[in-house]
PDB file of all heavy atoms in Angstrom:
ATOM      1  N   HIS A 100      -5.734  13.479  -7.066  1.00  0.00           N
ATOM      2  CA  HIS A 100      -5.665  12.028  -6.875  1.00  0.00           C
ATOM      3  C   HIS A 100      -6.327  11.417  -8.113  1.00  0.00           C
ATOM      4  O   HIS A 100      -7.551  11.365  -8.178  1.00  0.00           O
ATOM      5  CB  HIS A 100      -6.417  11.603  -5.618  1.00  0.00           C
ATOM      6  CG  HIS A 100      -6.076  12.401  -4.399  1.00  0.00           C
ATOM      7  ND1 HIS A 100      -6.504  13.701  -4.193  1.00  0.00           N
ATOM      8  CD2 HIS A 100      -5.360  12.079  -3.311  1.00  0.00           C
ATOM      9  CE1 HIS A 100      -6.053  14.132  -3.032  1.00  0.00           C
ATOM     10  NE2 HIS A 100      -5.355  13.160  -2.473  1.00  0.00           N
ATOM     11  N   ARG A 101      -5.532  11.011  -9.101  1.00  0.00           N
ATOM     12  CA  ARG A 101      -6.073  10.550 -10.382  1.00  0.00           C
ATOM     13  C   ARG A 101      -6.025   9.026 -10.494  1.00  0.00           C
ATOM     14  O   ARG A 101      -5.049   8.396 -10.114  1.00  0.00           O
ATOM     15  CB  ARG A 101      -5.275  11.127 -11.550  1.00  0.00           C
ATOM     16  CG  ARG A 101      -5.467  12.577 -11.768  1.00  0.00           C
ATOM     17  CD  ARG A 101      -4.890  13.070 -13.094  1.00  0.00           C
ATOM     18  NE  ARG A 101      -3.563  12.602 -13.434  1.00  0.00           N
ATOM     19  CZ  ARG A 101      -2.429  13.197 -13.057  1.00  0.00           C
ATOM     20  NH1 ARG A 101      -2.470  14.263 -12.269  1.00  0.00           N
ATOM     21  NH2 ARG A 101      -1.267  12.723 -13.435  1.00  0.00           N
ATOM     22  N   LEU A 102      -7.098   8.478 -11.080  1.00  0.00           N
ATOM     23  CA  LEU A 102      -7.166   7.058 -11.405  1.00  0.00           C
ATOM     24  C   LEU A 102      -7.202   6.951 -12.920  1.00  0.00           C
ATOM     25  O   LEU A 102      -8.135   7.433 -13.558  1.00  0.00           O
ATOM     26  CB  LEU A 102      -8.425   6.428 -10.806  1.00  0.00           C
ATOM     27  CG  LEU A 102      -8.662   6.627  -9.313  1.00  0.00           C
ATOM     28  CD1 LEU A 102      -9.947   5.935  -8.875  1.00  0.00           C
ATOM     29  CD2 LEU A 102      -7.475   6.144  -8.510  1.00  0.00           C
ATOM     30  N   GLU A 103      -6.167   6.333 -13.494  1.00  0.00           N
ATOM     31  CA  GLU A 103      -6.065   6.202 -14.953  1.00  0.00           C
ATOM     32  C   GLU A 103      -6.119   4.719 -15.299  1.00  0.00           C
ATOM     33  O   GLU A 103      -5.185   3.963 -15.012  1.00  0.00           O
ATOM     34  CB  GLU A 103      -4.763   6.822 -15.450  1.00  0.00           C
ATOM     35  CG  GLU A 103      -4.637   8.296 -15.100  1.00  0.00           C
ATOM     36  CD  GLU A 103      -3.263   8.875 -15.396  1.00  0.00           C
ATOM     37  OE1 GLU A 103      -2.327   8.112 -15.738  1.00  0.00           O
ATOM     38  OE2 GLU A 103      -3.117  10.112 -15.273  1.00  0.00           O
ATOM     39  N   SER A 104      -7.223   4.295 -15.906  1.00  0.00           N
ATOM     40  CA  SER A 104      -7.399   2.891 -16.249  1.00  0.00           C
ATOM     41  C   SER A 104      -6.400   2.476 -17.323  1.00  0.00           C
ATOM     42  O   SER A 104      -6.293   3.122 -18.369  1.00  0.00           O
ATOM     43  CB  SER A 104      -8.837   2.666 -16.737  1.00  0.00           C
ATOM     44  OG  SER A 104      -9.029   1.297 -17.006  1.00  0.00           O
ATOM     45  N   ILE A 105      -5.658   1.408 -17.060  1.00  0.00           N
ATOM     46  CA  ILE A 105      -4.722   0.855 -18.043  1.00  0.00           C
ATOM     47  C   ILE A 105      -5.434  -0.231 -18.844  1.00  0.00           C
ATOM     48  O   ILE A 105      -5.374  -0.252 -20.057  1.00  0.00           O
ATOM     49  CB  ILE A 105      -3.476   0.297 -17.340  1.00  0.00           C
ATOM     50  CG1 ILE A 105      -2.727   1.425 -16.627  1.00  0.00           C
ATOM     51  CG2 ILE A 105      -2.570  -0.432 -18.335  1.00  0.00           C
ATOM     52  CD1 ILE A 105      -1.612   0.966 -15.703  1.00  0.00           C
ATOM     53  N   ASP A 106      -6.096  -1.136 -18.122  1.00  0.00           N
ATOM     54  CA  ASP A 106      -6.954  -2.151 -18.715  1.00  0.00           C
ATOM     55  C   ASP A 106      -7.947  -2.569 -17.627  1.00  0.00           C
ATOM     56  O   ASP A 106      -8.006  -1.933 -16.579  1.00  0.00           O
ATOM     57  CB  ASP A 106      -6.145  -3.330 -19.292  1.00  0.00           C
ATOM     58  CG  ASP A 106      -5.237  -4.007 -18.283  1.00  0.00           C
ATOM     59  OD1 ASP A 106      -5.638  -4.142 -17.096  1.00  0.00           O
ATOM     60  OD2 ASP A 106      -4.126  -4.409 -18.654  1.00  0.00           O
ATOM     61  N   ALA A 107      -8.710  -3.619 -17.850  1.00  0.00           N
ATOM     62  CA  ALA A 107      -9.772  -3.996 -16.906  1.00  0.00           C
ATOM     63  C   ALA A 107      -9.244  -4.323 -15.514  1.00  0.00           C
ATOM     64  O   ALA A 107      -9.957  -4.158 -14.528  1.00  0.00           O
ATOM     65  CB  ALA A 107     -10.554  -5.186 -17.453  1.00  0.00           C
ATOM     66  N   ASP A 108      -7.988  -4.758 -15.426  1.00  0.00           N
ATOM     67  CA  ASP A 108      -7.452  -5.216 -14.143  1.00  0.00           C
ATOM     68  C   ASP A 108      -6.260  -4.408 -13.628  1.00  0.00           C
ATOM     69  O   ASP A 108      -5.603  -4.822 -12.679  1.00  0.00           O
ATOM     70  CB  ASP A 108      -7.034  -6.684 -14.253  1.00  0.00           C
ATOM     71  CG  ASP A 108      -8.210  -7.586 -14.573  1.00  0.00           C
ATOM     72  OD1 ASP A 108      -9.298  -7.358 -14.014  1.00  0.00           O
ATOM     73  OD2 ASP A 108      -8.043  -8.500 -15.406  1.00  0.00           O
ATOM     74  N   ARG A 109      -5.978  -3.266 -14.258  1.00  0.00           N
ATOM     75  CA  ARG A 109      -4.845  -2.451 -13.792  1.00  0.00           C
ATOM     76  C   ARG A 109      -5.186  -0.967 -13.922  1.00  0.00           C
ATOM     77  O   ARG A 109      -5.765  -0.539 -14.914  1.00  0.00           O
ATOM     78  CB  ARG A 109      -3.577  -2.739 -14.599  1.00  0.00           C
ATOM     79  CG  ARG A 109      -3.013  -4.120 -14.336  1.00  0.00           C
ATOM     80  CD  ARG A 109      -1.718  -4.388 -15.065  1.00  0.00           C
ATOM     81  NE  ARG A 109      -1.859  -4.049 -16.475  1.00  0.00           N
ATOM     82  CZ  ARG A 109      -0.886  -3.546 -17.227  1.00  0.00           C
ATOM     83  NH1 ARG A 109       0.307  -3.319 -16.722  1.00  0.00           N
ATOM     84  NH2 ARG A 109      -1.086  -3.288 -18.509  1.00  0.00           N
ATOM     85  N   THR A 110      -4.810  -0.226 -12.880  1.00  0.00           N
ATOM     86  CA  THR A 110      -5.073   1.201 -12.829  1.00  0.00           C
ATOM     87  C   THR A 110      -3.818   1.926 -12.353  1.00  0.00           C
ATOM     88  O   THR A 110      -3.186   1.500 -11.384  1.00  0.00           O
ATOM     89  CB  THR A 110      -6.235   1.501 -11.854  1.00  0.00           C
ATOM     90  OG1 THR A 110      -7.391   0.747 -12.247  1.00  0.00           O
ATOM     91  CG2 THR A 110      -6.574   2.987 -11.818  1.00  0.00           C
ATOM     92  N   ARG A 111      -3.494   2.989 -13.027  1.00  0.00           N
ATOM     93  CA  ARG A 111      -2.407   3.867 -12.574  1.00  0.00           C
ATOM     94  C   ARG A 111      -3.033   4.879 -11.623  1.00  0.00           C
ATOM     95  O   ARG A 111      -3.994   5.551 -11.972  1.00  0.00           O
ATOM     96  CB  ARG A 111      -1.734   4.576 -13.740  1.00  0.00           C
ATOM     97  CG  ARG A 111      -0.600   5.511 -13.314  1.00  0.00           C
ATOM     98  CD  ARG A 111       0.088   6.162 -14.512  1.00  0.00           C
ATOM     99  NE  ARG A 111       0.753   5.156 -15.323  1.00  0.00           N
ATOM    100  CZ  ARG A 111       0.313   4.692 -16.510  1.00  0.00           C
ATOM    101  NH1 ARG A 111      -0.799   5.173 -17.034  1.00  0.00           N
ATOM    102  NH2 ARG A 111       0.981   3.770 -17.164  1.00  0.00           N
ATOM    103  N   VAL A 112      -2.484   4.973 -10.411  1.00  0.00           N
ATOM    104  CA  VAL A 112      -2.933   5.957  -9.443  1.00  0.00           C
ATOM    105  C   VAL A 112      -1.836   7.009  -9.329  1.00  0.00           C
ATOM    106  O   VAL A 112      -0.679   6.680  -9.092  1.00  0.00           O
ATOM    107  CB  VAL A 112      -3.215   5.323  -8.056  1.00  0.00           C
ATOM    108  CG1 VAL A 112      -3.701   6.383  -7.071  1.00  0.00           C
ATOM    109  CG2 VAL A 112      -4.240   4.197  -8.180  1.00  0.00           C
ATOM    110  N   VAL A 113      -2.229   8.265  -9.538  1.00  0.00           N
ATOM    111  CA  VAL A 113      -1.270   9.366  -9.536  1.00  0.00           C
ATOM    112  C   VAL A 113      -1.685  10.380  -8.477  1.00  0.00           C
ATOM    113  O   VAL A 113      -2.840  10.816  -8.447  1.00  0.00           O
ATOM    114  CB  VAL A 113      -1.217  10.063 -10.916  1.00  0.00           C
ATOM    115  CG1 VAL A 113      -0.194  11.187 -10.908  1.00  0.00           C
ATOM    116  CG2 VAL A 113      -0.931   9.063 -12.027  1.00  0.00           C
ATOM    117  N   TYR A 114      -0.762  10.737  -7.604  1.00  0.00           N
ATOM    118  CA  TYR A 114      -0.940  11.842  -6.671  1.00  0.00           C
ATOM    119  C   TYR A 114      -0.050  12.967  -7.173  1.00  0.00           C
ATOM    120  O   TYR A 114       1.168  12.831  -7.239  1.00  0.00           O
ATOM    121  CB  TYR A 114      -0.499  11.467  -5.255  1.00  0.00           C
ATOM    122  CG  TYR A 114      -1.507  10.702  -4.433  1.00  0.00           C
ATOM    123  CD1 TYR A 114      -2.546   9.983  -4.999  1.00  0.00           C
ATOM    124  CD2 TYR A 114      -1.393  10.681  -3.058  1.00  0.00           C
ATOM    125  CE1 TYR A 114      -3.445   9.292  -4.224  1.00  0.00           C
ATOM    126  CE2 TYR A 114      -2.289   9.995  -2.271  1.00  0.00           C
ATOM    127  CZ  TYR A 114      -3.316   9.297  -2.856  1.00  0.00           C
ATOM    128  OH  TYR A 114      -4.212   8.609  -2.075  1.00  0.00           O
ATOM    129  N   SER A 115      -0.673  14.074  -7.552  1.00  0.00           N
ATOM    130  CA  SER A 115       0.041  15.236  -8.073  1.00  0.00           C
ATOM    131  C   SER A 115      -0.220  16.416  -7.149  1.00  0.00           C
ATOM    132  O   SER A 115      -1.364  16.732  -6.864  1.00  0.00           O
ATOM    133  CB  SER A 115      -0.469  15.527  -9.486  1.00  0.00           C
ATOM    134  OG  SER A 115       0.114  16.695  -9.992  1.00  0.00           O
ATOM    135  N   LEU A 116       0.843  17.057  -6.685  1.00  0.00           N
ATOM    136  CA  LEU A 116       0.713  18.163  -5.747  1.00  0.00           C
ATOM    137  C   LEU A 116       1.234  19.447  -6.380  1.00  0.00           C
ATOM    138  O   LEU A 116       2.276  19.447  -7.033  1.00  0.00           O
ATOM    139  CB  LEU A 116       1.512  17.863  -4.476  1.00  0.00           C
ATOM    140  CG  LEU A 116       1.475  18.926  -3.373  1.00  0.00           C
ATOM    141  CD1 LEU A 116       1.487  18.250  -2.021  1.00  0.00           C
ATOM    142  CD2 LEU A 116       2.607  19.908  -3.479  1.00  0.00           C
ATOM    143  N   GLU A 117       0.480  20.533  -6.196  1.00  0.00           N
ATOM    144  CA  GLU A 117       0.915  21.875  -6.577  1.00  0.00           C
ATOM    145  C   GLU A 117       0.716  22.767  -5.366  1.00  0.00           C
ATOM    146  O   GLU A 117      -0.376  22.846  -4.818  1.00  0.00           O
ATOM    147  CB  GLU A 117       0.094  22.425  -7.735  1.00  0.00           C
ATOM    148  CG  GLU A 117       0.327  21.724  -9.048  1.00  0.00           C
ATOM    149  CD  GLU A 117      -0.479  22.336 -10.166  1.00  0.00           C
ATOM    150  OE1 GLU A 117      -1.686  22.580  -9.954  1.00  0.00           O
ATOM    151  OE2 GLU A 117       0.093  22.574 -11.243  1.00  0.00           O
ATOM    152  N   ALA A 118       1.798  23.412  -4.936  1.00  0.00           N
ATOM    153  CA  ALA A 118       1.733  24.331  -3.803  1.00  0.00           C
ATOM    154  C   ALA A 118       2.091  25.721  -4.294  1.00  0.00           C
ATOM    155  O   ALA A 118       3.055  25.894  -5.057  1.00  0.00           O
ATOM    156  CB  ALA A 118       2.704  23.892  -2.704  1.00  0.00           C
ATOM    157  N   PHE A 119       1.298  26.719  -3.882  1.00  0.00           N
ATOM    158  CA  PHE A 119       1.490  28.104  -4.301  1.00  0.00           C
ATOM    159  C   PHE A 119       1.654  28.973  -3.066  1.00  0.00           C
ATOM    160  O   PHE A 119       0.820  28.923  -2.164  1.00  0.00           O
ATOM    161  CB  PHE A 119       0.263  28.611  -5.079  1.00  0.00           C
ATOM    162  CG  PHE A 119      -0.049  27.833  -6.313  1.00  0.00           C
ATOM    163  CD1 PHE A 119      -0.855  26.701  -6.243  1.00  0.00           C
ATOM    164  CD2 PHE A 119       0.451  28.218  -7.532  1.00  0.00           C
ATOM    165  CE1 PHE A 119      -1.155  25.980  -7.374  1.00  0.00           C
ATOM    166  CE2 PHE A 119       0.151  27.502  -8.671  1.00  0.00           C
ATOM    167  CZ  PHE A 119      -0.646  26.371  -8.598  1.00  0.00           C
ATOM    168  N   GLY A 120       2.701  29.764  -3.034  1.00  0.00           N
ATOM    169  CA  GLY A 120       2.887  30.696  -1.925  1.00  0.00           C
ATOM    170  C   GLY A 120       4.317  30.728  -1.446  1.00  0.00           C
ATOM    171  O   GLY A 120       5.152  29.913  -1.851  1.00  0.00           O
ATOM    172  N   ALA A 121       4.597  31.677  -0.577  1.00  0.00           N
ATOM    173  CA  ALA A 121       5.968  31.947  -0.155  1.00  0.00           C
ATOM    174  C   ALA A 121       6.672  30.742   0.469  1.00  0.00           C
ATOM    175  O   ALA A 121       7.858  30.579   0.308  1.00  0.00           O
ATOM    176  CB  ALA A 121       5.983  33.123   0.820  1.00  0.00           C
ATOM    177  N   SER A 122       5.965  29.893   1.186  1.00  0.00           N
ATOM    178  CA  SER A 122       6.615  28.762   1.849  1.00  0.00           C
ATOM    179  C   SER A 122       6.431  27.443   1.099  1.00  0.00           C
ATOM    180  O   SER A 122       6.686  26.376   1.655  1.00  0.00           O
ATOM    181  CB  SER A 122       6.096  28.629   3.278  1.00  0.00           C
ATOM    182  OG  SER A 122       4.698  28.420   3.263  1.00  0.00           O
TER     183      SER A 122
END
Side-chain angles (χ1 to χ4, degrees):
H100 311 73
R101 289 192 314 273
L102 307 180
E103 301 171 352
S104 183
I105 297 170
D106 57 37
D108 298 320
R109 291 183 310 146
T110 304
R111 179 178 295 105
V112 181
V113 181
Y114 278 21
S115 175
L116 181 145
E117 291 182 314
F119 301 87
S122 59

